[in-house]
Amino acid sequence: MIQPTELPETIAIFPLAGALLLPRSRLPLHIFEPRYLQMISDALKTDGRLIGMVQPNEVPGREGPGLQTIGCAGRITQFSETEDGRYMITLGGVSRFRVVQEVEGFTPYRRCDINWDGFERDLGKEEGDNGFCRTPFLSLLGRYFDTLGLSADWDTLKEADDELLINSLSMMLEFDPEDKQALLEAPSLETRRETLVTLIEYAMRGGQEEGLMQ
């Protein structure tokens, strides 16, 4: 486990819309753009092997893509290189951070000065959700999957720990980037679960405020 004193003040940034990484979760990525191949190669040479996942933040009238204020750092825990030079990697979520400023430099990828304050819980033990009622949650999830024509391993979902279940669904399900950002910024697992339920119910209403689909 990475200690707070080992967290860097500057980190390479991978801005990828819709891709969500959460602490203690795993995110597989396929890297093929030259600038990000260089980013992974550089990260693998460091002790921490960290990169920061941040949602782009498009603002009308601003030149170039911006970044959301809060992202999540991931440690490269697995990687393999294909014959044509692409990387297949897995990031293990370490901690969220706050972007302070973008750093000018000579790397083809973006780098930012960041602040880890306020996210100390991310470096701790697995989080629980005391208000989690699994039966109605899985019932809602089942109706949502039926609506989308998705299948699931329900035995695994029933047995998964609270954090693994809620975080995995938050990362896996298709939501708009701003909704993914809301899930990332949730201050507790309970808040993330409540946000996830709201997003699922909203999607089942087809984006309408009333009339939950049965």
Side-chain angles (χ1 to χ4, degrees):
M1 180 179 293
I2 294 179
Q3 301 301 315
T5 55
E6 299 174 325
L7 297 173
E9 296 180 355
T10 303
I11 195 170
I13 296 296
F14 190 10
L16 187 59
L20 176 61
L21 176 65
L22 294 168
R24 295 177 295 276
S25 298
R26 295 187 179 275
L27 177 66
L29 292 171
H30 173 204
I31 309 297
F32 55 88
E33 286 190 49
R35 56 180 167 169
Y36 296 126
L37 291 173
Q38 182 65 53
M39 179 186 69
I40 298 302
S41 179
D42 290 348
L44 288 171
K45 297 173 185 176
T46 66
D47 292 337
R49 295 185 292 183
L50 295 176
I51 63 173
M53 298 298 299
V54 182
Q55 297 279 336
N57 184 20
E58 305 291 344
V59 176
R62 182 175 58 193
E63 183 178 353
L67 298 170
Q68 290 283 358
T69 303
I70 295 175
C72 184
R75 185 174 189 270
I76 301 172
T77 57
Q78 294 180 334
F79 76 96
S80 60
E81 189 173 4
T82 64
E83 292 184 357
D84 58 358
R86 293 172 290 122
Y87 278 123
M88 309 296 290
I89 71 169
T90 299
L91 290 180
V94 173
S95 174
R96 290 168 292 176
F97 59 81
R98 192 175 302 275
V99 174
V100 176
Q101 63 182 358
E102 193 157 353
V103 177
E104 297 295 332
F106 299 103
T107 60
Y109 51 87
R110 301 167 76 171
R111 298 168 67 243
C112 288
D113 289 336
I114 60 174
N115 190 310
W116 305 91
D117 293 347
F119 301 111
E120 291 80 8
R121 180 188 293 182
D122 292 354
L123 295 171
K125 297 185 296 184
E126 182 177 303
E127 190 177 354
D129 180 358
N130 293 330
F132 187 25
C133 296
R134 186 166 299 224
T135 298
F137 177 83
L138 291 178
S139 177
L140 172 66
L141 189 65
R143 298 199 306 274
Y144 180 57
F145 279 14
D146 288 343
T147 300
L148 298 179
L150 300 176
S151 60
D153 183 346
W154 291 106
D155 289 337
T156 299
L157 292 177
K158 291 175 182 177
E159 295 175 2
D161 292 338
D162 293 352
E163 183 179 79
L164 176 61
L165 176 62
I166 294 167
N167 284 356
S168 296
L169 290 170
S170 296
M171 293 171 60
M172 177 187 71
L173 296 179
E174 295 288 339
F175 297 120
D176 291 338
E178 58 268 26
D179 297 329
K180 291 282 191 176
Q181 189 66 24
L183 291 165
L184 172 68
E185 295 185 15
S188 67
L189 187 65
E190 181 177 2
T191 306
R192 183 170 298 126
R193 185 252 308 161
E194 291 170 347
T195 302
L196 181 61
V197 167
T198 298
L199 291 173
I200 291 173
E201 291 178 339
Y202 185 74
M204 291 178 65
R205 290 194 295 265
Q208 303 299 316
E209 294 297 333
E210 301 296 339
L212 179 61
M213 184 181 298
Q214 301 297 323

